[in-house]
Amino acid sequence: MRTASLAVGLAAALLGPLAIPSRAAPPPRIEGQALPGSPTGRPGDPARGRAIVVDRTRGLCLLCHSGPFPDQPFQGDLSPSLAGAGSRHSPGELRLRIVDGRVLNPDTIMPSYGRRDGLVRVGEAWRNRPILAPDEIEDVVAFLATLRD
Amino acid sequence: MRASLVVAVLALAGLLGPPGRAADGRRSDAEAMSPALRAMQQDDAANPGMLSVLDGEALWSAKAGGAGRSCADCHGDATVSMKGVAARHPAWDAGRGSAVDLAGRIALCRTERQDAAPLPPESPDRLALTTYVAHQSRGMPIAPPDDSGLRETRARGRTLFTTRIGQLNLSCATCHDDLAGRRLGGTPIPQGHPVGYPLYRLEWQATGSLQRRLRNCMTGVRAEPYPFDAPELVALEAYLMERAAGLAMETPAVRP
């Protein structure tokens, strides 16, 4: 359904607003349903990624998701469990889902963690920055990739 | 008038369930609370919001301001004159050409009729008077008036309710229409009916207004909350009251 040409158009639209550090090598390109290649040029750290995912003020993931986190008592039930996410999706697919899930599903309730445009009335403290920085997103992707069935 | 007629007709047709619950599935958020919290709300001796009611009762008959008049001097016995008033606010103020919520109306009487110092939003006296007046409608069905000005206000409120806002990019409707009953983190998402305001919230350790709650929800999605008394908040209140029409008032409610 999401055709390659649509993806290319969206990729063009995305290039500006995506928060890419200037030292990054080539800008990210959407291929199919994935955003392959780390924009930071370094692999993410799964341990740091886990800490972000379970942190209710950083990743916020467990507001909506549940997952294999027995140490976390309060998990959401608004979306699929994160268990097995690394088996279902390639790292590139996970990256696109987190950077901008709206590309995959325009009506999704999951925030686009790597975008800061297209938003209305953002609070002063949060204005003009994405929810997660590119290196934090890489950490989260690296962690999700370890969640295998 | 017309709205209360509609409510009466709905009740006759058996469309309204027991107070706090409508046959179409709308219900007070009290119904999802623990039995202990519900008991606290229902027992006036245990309900901390009753302290605001008592404070409000004392303020009602205290003379104030340059006019040297009390609320009671003009409005008489609140248990009679204020019955049902909260259930039909926000109301249309033709003189101002704008909608006014109950706390705003009381604040206007304070400055214009009593010629007294303004009651700032969330000040203890404003909350106490509002809680006392709203308490006179406890058990009565919410009955939004049918005014053309209010209709526009509600339409604006509905737009605000359905617009995605904040860094998390969620609308009020996402949570309270689409996801009510599900869990956000550990917290059940309520339908969000404003039946019990001002109410006592354990999290606040205080009585607070509906506007305070709405601002909390906006901050929750990392949006810039509208300032207290902003027309946008009154418009949201007007829409929420219409959305809750027929549900019974609970002021002062208790919430987690």
Side-chain angles (χ1 to χ4, degrees):
Chain A
M1 208 188 85
R2 307 269 146 208
T3 61
S5 59
L6 175 63
V8 169
L10 280 162
L14 277 170
L15 291 184
L18 277 178
I20 308 154
S22 52
R23 64 176 185 281
R29 280 242 320 267
I30 296 175
E31 288 173 17
Q33 306 213 330
L35 201 53
S38 157
T40 63
R42 68 153 189 88
D45 176 76
R48 277 204 303 261
R50 186 188 197 278
I52 293 169
V53 165
V54 302
D55 187 328
R56 271 144 228 282
T57 61
R58 289 177 74 201
L60 313 156
C61 316
L62 301 190
L63 288 180
C64 297
H65 291 279
S66 60
F69 314 110
D71 56 327
Q72 297 295 318
F74 301 112
Q75 306 190 10
D77 68 359
L78 308 184
S79 48
S81 167
L82 294 179
S87 302
R88 286 190 296 277
H89 305 286
S90 71
E93 288 167 355
L94 292 168
R95 186 178 295 108
L96 178 57
R97 161 65 64 189
I98 292 162
V99 168
D100 192 6
R102 282 181 284 180
V103 174
L104 302 166
N105 170 10
D107 298 324
T108 188
I109 59 167
M110 178 160 157
S112 295
Y113 281 83
R115 290 187 73 166
R116 54 192 168 159
D117 65 319
L119 301 172
V120 175
R121 241 193 128 71
V122 176
E124 176 98 58
W126 316 104
R127 220 165 282 164
N128 293 323
R129 57 190 183 88
I131 304 173
L132 291 176
D135 55 335
E136 293 175 308
I137 291 178
E138 286 317 303
D139 294 339
V140 170
V141 169
F143 169 63
L144 293 176
T146 69
L147 297 179
R148 309 196 69 89
D149 287 326
Chain B
M1 272 294 119
R2 194 171 307 165
S4 55
L5 183 66
V6 169
V7 168
V9 169
L10 286 175
L12 277 177
L15 290 174
L16 292 176
R21 178 183 279 262
D24 57 15
R26 287 175 306 139
R27 58 177 209 168
S28 160
D29 302 322
E31 297 211 4
M33 297 195 308
S34 67
L37 268 189
R38 259 182 297 167
M40 184 194 271
Q41 172 171 320
Q42 271 149 23
D43 177 359
D44 284 351
N47 182 335
M50 287 307 289
L51 294 174
S52 293
V53 172
L54 291 177
D55 287 348
E57 186 176 14
L59 288 167
W60 180 260
S61 40
K63 296 196 186 301
R69 294 233 190 136
S70 69
C71 318
D73 287 339
C74 290
H75 292 291
D77 181 355
T79 63
V80 179
S81 65
M82 292 292 134
K83 221 173 163 47
V85 170
R88 53 180 161 77
H89 271 77
W92 187 249
D93 185 325
R96 288 192 163 63
S98 66
V100 183
D101 67 6
L102 183 63
R105 163 59 62 209
I106 291 171
L108 284 171
C109 272
R110 189 70 164 186
T111 49
E112 294 182 355
R113 311 273 174 191
Q114 291 184 306
D115 194 17
L119 291 170
E122 303 307 286
S123 61
D125 285 5
R126 177 153 150 179
L127 280 170
L129 280 165
T130 310
T131 310
Y132 176 60
V133 170
H135 181 59
Q136 310 310 323
S137 298
R138 184 161 72 171
M140 297 179 70
I142 290 177
D146 187 19
D147 254 293
S148 60
L150 267 184
R151 255 178 270 146
E152 271 168 45
T153 305
R154 285 196 278 261
R156 211 170 332 124
R158 186 174 192 286
T159 303
L160 290 164
F161 194 80
T162 51
T163 303
R164 289 185 181 231
I165 54 170
Q167 195 191 38
L168 304 191
N169 202 27
L170 296 168
S171 73
C172 319
T174 310
C175 283
H176 295 297
D177 282 347
D178 303 343
L179 298 170
R182 313 269 289 273
R183 279 182 179 272
L184 179 74
T187 311
I189 300 178
Q191 292 182 0
H193 294 302
V195 294
Y197 286 86
L199 55 68
Y200 186 88
R201 214 175 142 69
L202 271 60
E203 182 201 337
W204 296 337
Q205 296 279 299
T207 299
S209 70
L210 176 57
Q211 292 202 359
R212 180 173 179 185
R213 173 72 249 172
L214 304 188
R215 283 168 46 91
N216 279 184
C217 277
M218 290 178 195
T219 311
V221 296
R222 299 183 175 177
E224 191 67 32
Y226 293 101
F228 281 106
D229 288 342
E232 289 86 354
L233 289 181
V234 178
L236 272 170
E237 291 179 298
Y239 172 67
L240 287 171
M241 289 296 268
E242 179 192 48
R243 188 170 163 270
L247 294 178
M249 295 281 300
E250 296 172 14
T251 311
V254 174
R255 293 288 182 268

